[in-house]
């Protein structure tokens, strides 16, 4: 899921000049825009505040027929979902016999596919989104795996090579995994195939790579300048490192945002990288401290300004939260771990260190850079050893959402959140991998069960996170990801007749399934989406 989000506001007013030196006319506001705009901390559509629940369907344009796209978007709309985030990139090194592709990158050159299995598929997605009253959040690139069998550990960050050994998910069709669009065509792939540096920094700073990327961006963005179905354009980026700092990445997003706005002044632009904080990092665009407020009216209280986010404040808040938990457990007799001395609970050395010595964690030190909440794959804080694993996950999600809402006075949305259920565990493939570690064909020996949460826990977490987003002031929450059944199958495509099963929690079964990387759901969690939408309008 958004400065580190760089939303470009598209709003204005019409000022009518005086008819004569002695007469003036009142200012008339411009008619409400059909495009999504911003006004203060809110998204606006047709003159009304727009808060939303969304879903991810990265594979949407890769489906095998327009009827399938129509069917999927119709079902999404019926659940009360308003925004769909999907990939607007799909690159290859050789033209495939089957399936969708948007751009060929080979021998240092790029070729755009404007055919029926190319950008015309994206045209269909936009046209059918308009039909169903949905908005599309288009991602223009991503940041996952490098090429098959090629490891990359430059810039201090290691990305595992795609494993194509028999028995390691190499039977999954092209585009099945979300990282199987940019393995072939993201920043890493482009860097390698243009015979330039494989360093992650190359994509952000090398003029040749940037020129190729900007050209593709222009080709896509310019097609939909006048479409009201576009919510926003966004990119993604990688974790920071000593040679690829947060300021480098931020500058890249600023450059891309400015370029997109010159091509398409009607739609918003997002960096896609706000989610992870960097409490003490150098800021390219420092936050502007608001001026002192005037005295509040009698019998009213002035709203407290958010405290600056620092390493010290994060650790102190965490220690206080842990202390409250232990006090509650002491009162209720439910404390666990530690020892009792003369009737008093005393934490162990490990317990004390968990709050004091583990630092702020990767979610707050700038070492990560994606605006999502996936606790199955990333760390978002230090676990409170007094709580069960699920409670830590739930609480860290609530804290994460609260912090995002407090940090900005502009519209902010979380573009991806998800929890793997136990039913989905055999199909779970982490974003930087191609093997399902709990699958039957796994070579990693991580076959212990159960992994993941129950369906009830997932529903509980999604409901609380969505409600927290609404109450704390986030303007959008985008679940990852949607699942769709009864799709047209075709060999060598994203919906292949060789891929079937019952791995979607809780009810989608059979063949013709949309891709499932462990997060696919069809109903659980969306009950909350409908309530969120009703409450936010």
């Amino acid at each position: 899921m958004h400065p580190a989000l760089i939303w470009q506001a598209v709003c204005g007013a019409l000022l009518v000049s005086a008819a004569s030196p002695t007469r003036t006319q009142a200012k008339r506001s411009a008619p409400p825009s059909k495009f999504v705009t911003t006004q203060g901390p809110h998204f606006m559509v047709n003159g009304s505040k727009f808060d939303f629940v969304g879903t991810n369907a990265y594979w949407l344009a890769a489906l095998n027929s327009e009827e399938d796209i129509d069917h999927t978007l119709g079902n999404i709309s019926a659940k009360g979902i308003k925004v769909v985030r999907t990939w607007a990139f799909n690159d290859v090194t050789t033209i495939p016999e089957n399936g969708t592709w948007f751009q060929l990158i080979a021998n240092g050159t790029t070729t755009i596919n404007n055919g029926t299995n190319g950008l015309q598929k994206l045209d269909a997605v936009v046209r059918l989104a308009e039909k169903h009253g949905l908005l599309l959040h288009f991602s223009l690139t991503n940041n996952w795996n490098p090429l098959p069998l090629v490891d990359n550990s430059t810039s201090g960050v290691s990305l595992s090579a795609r494993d194509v050994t028999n028995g390691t998910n190499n039977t999954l069709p092209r585009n099945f995994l979300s990282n199987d669009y940019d393995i072939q065509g993201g920043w890493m792939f482009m860097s390698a195939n243009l015979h330039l540096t494989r360093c992650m920094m190359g994509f952000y700073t090398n003029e040749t790579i940037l020129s190729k990327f900007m050209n593709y961006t222009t080709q896509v963005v310019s097609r939909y300048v006048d479409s009201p179905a576009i919510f926003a354009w966004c990119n993604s980026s990688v974790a920071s490192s000593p040679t690829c700092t947060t300021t480098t990445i931020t500058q890249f997003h600023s450059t891309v945002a400015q370029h997109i706005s010159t091509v398409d002044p009607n739609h918003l632009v997002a960096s896609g990288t706000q989610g992870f904080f960097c409490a003490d990092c150098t800021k390219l665009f420092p936050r502007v401290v608001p001026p002192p407020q005037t005295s509040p009216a009698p019998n009213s209280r002035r709203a407290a300004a958010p405290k600056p986010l620092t390493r010290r404040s994060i650790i102190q808040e965490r220690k206080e939260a842990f202390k409250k938990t232990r006090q509650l457990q002491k009162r209720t007799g439910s404390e666990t771990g530690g020892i009792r001395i003369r009737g008093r609970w005393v934490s162990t050395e490990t317990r004390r260190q968990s709050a004091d010595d583990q630092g702020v964690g990767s979610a707050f030190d700038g070492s990560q850079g994606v605006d999502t909440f996936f606790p199955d794959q990333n760390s978002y804080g230090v676990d409170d050893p007094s709580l069960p694993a699920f409670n830590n996950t739930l609480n860290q999600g609530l804290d994460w959402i609260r912090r995002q809402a407090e940090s900005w006075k502009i519209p902010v949305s979380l573009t991806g959140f998800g929890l793997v259920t136990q039913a989905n565990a055999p199909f779970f493939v982490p974003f930087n991998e191609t093997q399902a570690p709990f699958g039957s064909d796994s070579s990693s020996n991580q076959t212990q069960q159960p992994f993941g949460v129950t369906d009830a826990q997932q529903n509980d977490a999604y409901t609380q996170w969505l409600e927290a987003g609404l109450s704390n002031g986030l303007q959008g929450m985008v679940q990852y990801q949607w699942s769709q059944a009864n799709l047209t199958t075709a060999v060598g495509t994203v919906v292949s007749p060789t891929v079937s099963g019952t791995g979607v929690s809780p009810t989608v079964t059979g063949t013709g399934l949309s891709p499932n990387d462990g997060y696919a759901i069809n109903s659980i969690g969306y009950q909350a989406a409908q309530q969120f939408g009703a409450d936010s309008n």
Side-chain angles (χ1 to χ4, degrees), residues 65 73 144 198 245-246 250 252 286 290 302 422-423 451 453 471 506:
S65 72
L73 291 175
W144 302 120
R198 286 193 60 79
T245 66
T246 54
T250 302
F252 163 78
R302 176 184 297 165
Q422 294 171 12
F451 174 83
V453 299
S471 62

Side-chain angles (χ1 to χ4, degrees), residues 198-216:
R198 286 193 60 79
C199 173
M200 297 173 188
M201 183 110 168
F203 183 78
Y204 301 118
T205 60
N206 186 283
E207 292 185 2
T208 302
I209 300 177
L210 285 173
S211 175
K212 298 289 186 181
F213 176 67
M214 294 294 194
N215 175 66
Y216 178 75

